[in-house]
Amino acid sequence: MEKTFQFPAHLDVKIQALTDALMPHDRIGIAFSGGVDSSFLLWFAHCRLKKPVTAVFVESTFVGRSERENADRVASEIGVVLEKIVVDPTVIPVLRDNPVTRCYHCKKEVMGRVRERAFELGCCVLADGSHAGDSVGYRPGKQALLELGILSPLAVAGLVKDEIRELSRPAGLSVWNKPSQSCLATRFPYGTALTRDLLSRVDRCEEILRELGFGQLRVRVHGDLARIEVTPQAFPAFAREEIRTRILREFKELGFHFVTIDLAGFRSGSWDETIRKTGTE
């Protein structure tokens, strides 16, 4: 992906910091999801710095079908062949049982496997797409990354999500404005046992909403009730009869007896609001 462009001048210091974080390493392994952050990191290392890279993608029941397809497409755009490993978290008890500390255990297990594969392929370091804004909120997975010695160059450079989008657009990355995504496990209350069937059903619900034109969204599950989170600007669309009836019909076919819209709108990590209120860690 060769393109002549200039980065915004006000981000020069952070771009230099990102360069400084990556340049000392020979072959860089990158934990790649196809989202805007890991895509920019992969592009910057491979296309901007001309570093040899290995991008490792995890095929998992925690990852939706559209995300898997997107990762293949974006890696191809960048000019990198994905190395894939398969992990089924539903057969790992501490992940299947979905405790409050699930994210820590998931990062430790899955990123440990990614790191092992990257090192087998000759990488001297594994980097991920965590950015400086990821320090806000309940992020137990950060500790696992520290314990595994995984580098987070975007965070080291002080880059936050909006800045990464700003840099990704002139770089020609098609995902520069892609809505943020998270693993499907985040759609369920802590303590809900996670099964392939449950994960598949909520994945299909979200696909239905995307097919109807909704962008930033989540479908949170409370037993047989599906709680839809979208931005408040998207609320009026649910008043359209063809949209409302399709959602009701197809969600019920997937086993949800009740379907509701969360008036608070989309927000990342909404289950964690209860943790912050109760002080649970």
Side-chain angles (χ1 to χ4, degrees):
M1 184 186 294
E2 295 292 337
K3 189 173 182 178
T4 302
F5 63 91
Q6 288 186 330
F7 283 135
H10 69 96
L11 293 176
D12 282 350
V13 171
K14 293 186 178 184
I15 286 296
Q16 186 59 53
L18 180 59
T19 300
D20 292 343
L22 292 170
M23 281 304 292
H25 308 291
D26 295 327
R27 186 171 193 91
I28 302 170
I30 294 178
F32 183 73
S33 69
V36 60
D37 306 319
S38 65
S39 294
F40 177 72
L41 179 62
L42 179 61
W43 175 88
F44 190 86
H46 179 63
C47 299
R48 182 78 168 187
L49 300 184
K50 308 299 182 184
K51 285 281 187 179
V53 297
T54 296
V56 184
F57 178 77
V58 179
E59 290 195 349
S60 163
T61 47
F62 280 6
V63 179
R65 181 182 62 84
S66 64
E67 292 300 295
R68 297 193 294 270
E69 294 172 352
N70 175 73
D72 282 325
R73 178 181 59 78
V74 177
S76 178
E77 289 177 2
I78 295 171
V80 173
V81 177
L82 280 186
E83 174 70 20
K84 297 181 181 180
I85 63 173
V86 179
V87 180
D88 183 2
T90 65
V91 302
I92 303 172
V94 72
L95 304 184
R96 181 188 61 231
D97 295 344
N98 193 22
V100 172
T101 54
R102 182 204 67 245
C103 188
Y104 166 80
H105 296 292
C106 189
K107 288 284 188 186
K108 194 71 179 284
E109 177 72 26
V110 175
M111 294 297 279
R113 297 190 192 188
V114 171
R115 180 179 182 274
E116 180 180 8
R117 184 58 181 149
F119 279 35
E120 287 175 352
L121 295 172
C123 297
C124 59
V125 67
L126 178 66
D128 84 322
S130 299
H131 58 79
D134 285 332
S135 61
V136 179
Y138 180 63
R139 304 279 183 173
K142 280 190 63 181
Q143 181 60 34
L145 298 179
L146 291 171
E147 292 173 6
L148 290 167
I150 293 173
L151 179 66
S152 298
L154 300 174
V156 170
L159 287 162
V160 297
K161 176 72 78 174
D162 286 347
E163 293 171 334
I164 296 165
R165 292 191 189 280
E166 188 177 358
L167 294 168
S168 297
R169 189 173 189 179
L173 290 168
S174 62
V175 291
W176 73 271
N177 64 343
K178 182 180 182 294
S180 62
Q181 190 56 275
S182 61
C183 84
L184 293 175
T186 63
R187 310 312 194 258
F188 304 89
Y190 294 116
T192 299
L194 302 175
T195 67
R196 293 183 184 182
D197 176 65
L198 275 176
L199 295 162
S200 175
R201 287 163 55 203
V202 79
D203 183 32
R204 177 55 192 150
C205 284
E206 294 191 351
E207 283 187 355
I208 291 166
L209 293 175
R210 282 190 287 268
E211 289 167 5
L212 288 169
F214 294 97
Q216 189 70 77
L217 62 92
R218 298 285 188 270
V219 175
R220 313 286 189 185
V221 176
H222 304 253
D224 58 4
L225 182 149
R227 170 170 57 91
I228 298 171
E229 291 182 11
V230 294
T231 61
Q233 293 78 11
F235 286 176
F238 290 92
R240 294 170 54 187
E241 186 66 13
E242 66 274 20
I243 289 180
R244 186 183 68 83
T245 55
R246 179 182 170 185
I247 292 172
L248 281 172
R249 182 182 71 254
E250 297 195 23
F251 275 41
K252 286 188 175 184
E253 288 173 355
L254 288 164
F256 296 105
H257 296 163
F258 307 98
V259 183
T260 188
I261 303 168
D262 190 328
L263 294 181
F266 167 81
R267 63 268 191 216
S268 180
S270 62
W271 290 124
D272 299 332
E273 293 169 4
T274 58
I275 296 174
R276 289 191 288 270
K277 286 178 181 177
T278 61
T280 304
E281 296 183 357

